[in-house]
């Protein structure tokens, strides 16, 4: 049976009904004439009856769609049968829900005949402070006009306030068959979204619900949804160089992920208009954590639902010493002038040389024994939670860790200060019998400094720090992300192009031991990565217009991709000798020749696309 929702009375108030509404609000105001009378809500359209800026939910739809019935059943404990005698609304009915200090919001019930083009209708005032807009459609009626009004309503509201949640109640479905309910929802959903897309509003998200005042409540669910926030959108990160950065939105950057703090859905429950501030001073990384919101969910009103502990969730990952008072945080900016980077200066890097936008960067290496670096690293590594999937804090007491840091050296107050741009950690693994194999573990360039070439510069600095050490076998990477794989391909291809064994002539002769030895000896690149770089550079050297040359390249790559299938075939032959047919089928699943060919082609196309991106970056860097 198709699910639908009853608009029922979800709350029991301890106070008398009139105690819930402040002075100046018209509650349950209806015309004396049952028929549709002239709209006389002009005074309601111009008066700012929400001086405290409380969250507002708008209830809209054509006349007799059931808007007032929903409101009466939910907020006035009216029996569904009594709603049959309600008269049409001819003015905005405003219910202020304020029975606690935690949740205070308003429900505005609009008459069906409201005209958005009326000069008295103040769209900015009405839609600007709105948290959600519920549009009610009578599923038992011809809903063509309702869809036209829905489109007009949504487009007008979205232009004023793109953050509104739009909820569409396909109402009065209790009188429809299950098939009719499903068809009505499908048809309304499709028509409404198609019309929005045709008008260029494809980014608008509408949620649809089958509802009835005679069955399960969806109205309460809609209200609760206004207390759900995207945690990635709610969090503002800053690296503060000077006082003006605190209020400057241009210095704010967002996390790429937040599931490691707020769960897989990356959402926070319990607040409306939630903003979380996680600020760091650019050099010392002194930390401020704060949050603001317009309203918090009331457990008494929503069946015991309580707000998430936002401050607790984040502060559990922060080292001691973070501040929750913004004035205290701002006061620490005076100490930034004394900050100096940790460790040994390995390299300098500049962009936009000779121009007004010239910038200078310095790259350092250090160990955990560097004075003051242990506590600094504790603050620095908290960035990983927002940008590195499956991030974990390392055991810095192990003396085989090495740290690489990027700082921008920028002018300030007649001198220079430093801002952290990113960092990497490398662990020195043992390689039998007497070698060391460094492994890059963590690698991060912060968003304000991305696309400046700093990632490539940092990786090259790490490489160069090990090149002259004969005890180093090669350099590996721990579980690289797609982004790091692309960066590594670019840097390694750029470096290998200079090696004699990777010349254009030798690339066409195939992958050789000479390439492996030279890449490992001169660049500390391991065999697996050397093969990948060979394929990238051979693709660059291949004339794609020459069908035979292009075919030879594809076969060369596919022979490597086919190795796992060859092993699978070898294992199958061995098992054939040891197992009967039934045991063989239950033990090993093998691919057919056709499946293998299809999979190889898909793998190849994926790899070729990756290589093309690398070559485009190589070309742009020349």
């Amino acid at each position: 049976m198709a699910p639908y929702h009853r608009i029922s009375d979800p709350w029991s108030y301890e106070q008398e009904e009139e105690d819930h509404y402040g002075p100046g609000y018209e509650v349950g105001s209806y015309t004396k004439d049952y028929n549709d009378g002239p709209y006389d809500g002009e005074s309601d359209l111009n008066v700012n009856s929400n001086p405290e800026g409380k969250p507002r939910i708008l209830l809209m739809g054509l006349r007799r769609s059931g808007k007032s019935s929903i409101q009466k059943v939910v907020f006035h404990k009216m029996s569904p049968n009594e709603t049959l005698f309600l008269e049409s609304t001819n003015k905005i009915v405003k219910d202020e829900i304020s029975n606690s200090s935690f949740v205070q919001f308003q429900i505005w019930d609009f008459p069906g005949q409201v005209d958005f083009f009326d000069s008295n209708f103040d769209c900015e005032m009405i839609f600007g402070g709105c948290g959600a807009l519920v549009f009610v459609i009578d599923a038992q009626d011809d809903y063509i006009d309702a869809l036209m009004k829905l489109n007009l309503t949504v487009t007008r509201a979205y232009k004023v306030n793109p953050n509104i949640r739009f909820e569409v109640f396909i109402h009065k479905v209790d009188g429809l068959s299950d098939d009719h309910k499903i068809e009505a929802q499908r048809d309304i959903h499709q028509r409404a979204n198609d019309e929005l897309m045709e008008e260029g509003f494809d980014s608008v998200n509408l949620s649809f619900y089958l509802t009835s005042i005679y069955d399960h409540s969806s109205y309460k669910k809609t209200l609760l949804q206004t207390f759900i926030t995207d945690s990635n959108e709610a969090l503002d990160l800053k690296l503060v160089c000077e006082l003006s950065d605190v209020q400057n939105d241009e210095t704010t950057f967002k996390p790429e992920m937040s599931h490691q703090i707020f769960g897989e859905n990356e959402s926070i429950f319990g607040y409306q208009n939630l903003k979380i501030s996680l600020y760091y001073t650019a050099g010392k990384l002194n930390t401020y954590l704060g949050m603001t919101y317009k309203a918090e969910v009331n457990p008494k009103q929503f069946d015991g639902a309580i707000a998430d502990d936002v401050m607790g969730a984040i502060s559990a990952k922060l080292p001691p010493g973070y501040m929750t008072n913004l004035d205290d945080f701002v006061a620490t900016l005076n100490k930034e002038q004394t900050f100096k980077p940790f460790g040994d200066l390995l390299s300098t890097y500049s962009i936009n040389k000779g121009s007004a936008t010239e910038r200078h960067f310095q790259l350092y290496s250090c160990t955990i024994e560097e004075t003051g670096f242990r506590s600094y690293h504790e603050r620095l590594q908290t960035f990983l939670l927002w940008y590195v999937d499956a991030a974990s804090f390392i055991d810095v007491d192990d003396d085989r860790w090495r740290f690489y840091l990027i700082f921008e050296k920028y002018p300030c107050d007649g001198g220079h200060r430093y801002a952290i741009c990113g960092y990497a950690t490398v662990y020195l693994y043992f390689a039998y019998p007497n070698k060391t194999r460094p492994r890059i573990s963590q690698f991060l360039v912060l968003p304000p400094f991305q696309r400046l070439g700093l990632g490539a510069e940092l990786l090259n600095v790490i490489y160069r720090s090990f090149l002259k050490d004969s005890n180093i076998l090669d350099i590996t990477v721990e579980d690289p992300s797609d982004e790091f794989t692309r960066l590594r391909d670019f840097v390694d291809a750029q470096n290998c192009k200079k090696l004699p064994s990777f010349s254009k002539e030798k690339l066409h002769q195939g992958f050789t031991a000479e390439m492996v030895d030279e890449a490992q000896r001169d660049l500390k690149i391991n065999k697996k990565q050397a093969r990948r770089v060979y394929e990238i550079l051979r693709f660059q050297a291949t004339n794609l217009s020459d069908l035979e040359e292009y075919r030879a390249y594809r076969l060369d790559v596919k022979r490597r991709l086919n190795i796992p299938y060859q092993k699978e075939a070898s294992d199958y032959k061995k098992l054939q000798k040891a197992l009967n047919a039934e045991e063989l089928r239950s033990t090993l699943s093998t691919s057919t020749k056709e499946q293998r060919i299809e999979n190889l082609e898909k793998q190849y196309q994926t790899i070729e696309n990756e290589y093309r991106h690398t070559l485009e970056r190589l070309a742009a860097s020349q």
Side-chain angles (χ1 to χ4, degrees), residues 260 373 377 380-385 387-396 401-405 422-427 429 439-445 458-459 462 476-481 484 487:
Q260 295 171 119
F373 183 68
H377 176 261
L380 178 59
Q381 68 181 348
T382 58
F383 284 108
L384 297 175
L385 298 169
Y387 298 102
V388 178
D389 202 8
S392 60
F393 295 162
I394 63 176
D395 178 13
V396 294
W401 283 107
R402 298 293 180 268
F403 302 87
Y404 297 82
L405 303 100
Y423 82 110
T425 59
V426 178
Y427 189 81
Y429 278 91
R439 177 180 292 179
I440 299 172
S441 176
Q442 299 162 326
F443 193 99
L444 174 65
V445 176
L458 177 57
L459 186 55
I462 294 172
T476 61
V477 180
E478 180 182 343
D479 192 20
S481 66
F484 185 83
L487 172 66

Side-chain angles (χ1 to χ4, degrees), residues 323-371:
M323 289 159 271
T324 56
N325 183 290
L326 188 57
D327 292 335
D328 292 343
F329 171 78
V330 168
T332 67
L333 288 173
N334 294 328
K335 301 177 182 178
E336 288 292 287
Q337 59 188 351
T338 65
F339 175 77
K340 295 293 184 291
F342 298 92
D344 300 320
L345 176 64
L346 299 183
S347 177
T348 60
Y349 175 77
S350 299
I351 61 172
N352 304 327
K353 292 182 180 179
S355 71
T357 58
E358 184 173 353
R359 298 172 72 178
H360 303 280
F361 303 90
Q362 298 181 346
L363 293 91
Y364 292 78
S365 71
C366 70
T367 67
I368 201 64
E369 301 304 323
E370 191 80 25
T371 303

Side-chain angles (χ1 to χ4, degrees), residues 429-498:
Y429 278 91
F430 171 74
Y432 182 84
N434 58 355
K435 297 285 187 179
T436 299
R437 174 173 276 146
R439 177 180 292 179
I440 299 172
S441 176
Q442 299 162 326
F443 193 99
L444 174 65
V445 176
L446 293 171
F449 304 99
Q450 291 174 2
R451 304 192 182 282
L452 300 177
L454 293 178
E457 186 66 19
L458 177 57
L459 186 55
N460 270 318
V461 164
I462 294 172
Y463 284 166
R464 291 198 294 267
S465 70
F466 294 112
L467 289 185
K468 296 181 180 179
D469 189 343
S470 60
N471 189 49
I472 301 298
L473 180 62
D474 52 33
I475 300 171
T476 61
V477 180
E478 180 182 343
D479 192 20
S481 66
D482 292 341
E483 292 80 6
F484 185 83
T485 297
R486 287 191 286 271
L487 172 66
R488 185 188 187 191
D489 286 346
F490 164 72
V491 171
D492 289 348
Q494 196 174 47
N495 291 333
C496 282
K497 284 187 70 174
K498 304 170 186 176

Side-chain angles (χ1 to χ4, degrees), residues 285-310:
L285 294 183
N286 292 320
T287 310
Y288 164 75
L289 174 63
M291 62 180 284
T292 61
Y293 52 87
K294 185 172 285 188
E296 181 178 350
V297 72
N298 179 9
K300 292 183 179 179
Q301 201 168 32
F302 291 97
D303 300 331
I306 59 174
D308 292 339
D309 182 6
V310 175

Side-chain angles (χ1 to χ4, degrees), residues 173-184:
V173 297
D174 47 279
L176 305 180
S177 66
D178 290 347
D179 289 343
H180 196 164
K181 293 172 191 173
I182 296 172
E183 177 58 24

